[in-house]
């Protein structure tokens, strides 16, 4: 092999090397992953609306009248066991940690005699508000979101169907149960 031949081989090798490096550089610029500005994964955004609409904060629920029409008072009574730690449901029941709840539907907010309500409930009482289906649904879904600073130490019942069961049960706690809303 003369030196000319060797030069050709060396040249060929060099050219191949340069070509491979070139490809590498081009590929790098084409496919370089962009470093995220903030470390971590982007999680899908929460489905529901913000705190402005606590009633809808769980999952998008069916309209309340539709849920109420499907409501089951027996199931509601079972989940309302969690309330009896603080509330009496029977007629003439006394205030406990929370106010007595017999006949609560359509009753004035903050209306239990002798119970010292939070400022938030008193404010609503002063406006003459009553506990209709909508507001009970919202309060039970998330007490703290509905009444800021409420004294009610209950986390909330997120399941819209279970809340409907409970509302149908609460409605039954009356001498004269209010009609269910029209669908
Ligand atoms: C840990 C105790 C506790 C539990 C459990 C609890 N509550 Fe209460 N509840 C309270 C207190 C205390 C208040 C008074 C709230 C205030 O003044 O802010 C209240 C207020 C209420 C009111 C407003 C009554 C009125 O006279 O204006 C309703 C309605 C109510 N609770 C329903 C329920 C239901 C339904 C449940 C069960 C799903 C429940 N609560 C569970 C303590 C509790």
């Amino acid at each position: 092999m003369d030196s000319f031949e060797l030069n050709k081989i060396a040249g060929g090798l060099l050219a191949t090397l340069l070509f491979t490096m070139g490809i590498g550089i081009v590929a790098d610029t084409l496919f370089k992953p962009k470093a995220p500005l903030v470390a971590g994964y982007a999680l899908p955004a929460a489905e529901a609306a913000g705190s402005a609409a606590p009633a809808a904060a769980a999952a998008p629920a069916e309209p309340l009248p539709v849920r109420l029409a499907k409501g089951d008072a027996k199931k509601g009574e079972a989940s309302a066991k969690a309330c009896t730690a603080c509330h009496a449901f029977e007629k003439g029941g006394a205030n406990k940690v929370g106010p007595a709840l017999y006949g609560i539907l359509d009753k004035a907010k903050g209306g239990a005699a002798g119970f010292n309500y939070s400022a938030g409930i008193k404010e609503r009482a002063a406006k003459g508000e009553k506990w209709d289906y909508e507001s009970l649904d919202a309060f039970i879904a998330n007490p703290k979101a509905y009444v800021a600073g409420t004294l009610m130490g209950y986390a909330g019942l997120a399941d819209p169907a279970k809340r409907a069961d409970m509302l149908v049960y609460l409605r039954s706690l009356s001498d004269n149960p209010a009609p269910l809303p029209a669908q």
Side-chain angles (χ1 to χ4, degrees), residues 82-83 86-87 97-99 101 104 109-112 115 117-118 121 131 136 139-140 150-154 166 170:
C83 324
C86 301
H87 291 286
V97 175
L101 288 185
I104 190 66
K109 289 178 184 168
F115 189 86
Y117 290 93
S118 64
I121 296 260
W131 286 114
L136 274 176
F139 186 53
I140 294 168
T150 182
L151 301 171
M152 176 149 134
Y154 175 75
M166 190 173 286
L170 291 178

Side-chain angles (χ1 to χ4, degrees), residues 25-182:
I25 289 165
V26 171
D28 266 2
T29 46
L30 280 182
F31 301 115
K32 192 172 184 181
K34 279 205 189 95
L37 290 175
V38 182
Y41 299 97
L43 292 174
E47 259 176 49
S51 54
E62 287 178 308
L64 185 54
V66 177
R67 281 190 283 136
L68 287 172
K70 295 184 197 161
D72 180 333
K74 274 266 159 277
K75 284 189 195 162
E77 182 173 8
S79 19
K81 290 265 183 296
C83 324
T84 59
C86 301
H87 291 286
F89 283 125
E90 69 277 7
K91 188 174 182 178
N95 297 331
K96 303 204 286 184
V97 175
L101 288 185
Y102 183 83
I104 190 66
L105 185 73
D106 281 343
K107 192 176 165 189
K109 289 178 184 168
F115 189 86
N116 193 15
Y117 290 93
S118 64
I121 296 260
K122 283 180 184 158
E123 213 172 276
R124 287 175 178 272
K127 287 187 203 152
E129 291 183 17
K130 19 173 239 173
W131 286 114
D132 54 14
Y133 289 109
E134 294 284 345
S135 56
L136 274 176
D137 190 50
F139 186 53
I140 294 168
N142 189 341
K144 286 185 177 57
Y146 186 76
V147 178
T150 182
L151 301 171
M152 176 149 134
Y154 175 75
L157 185 59
D159 185 332
K162 286 193 178 155
R163 285 203 306 276
D165 293 340
M166 190 173 286
L167 292 183
V168 172
Y169 170 63
L170 291 178
R171 158 186 185 263
S172 75
L173 305 173
S174 165
D175 293 342
N176 198 357
L180 287 169

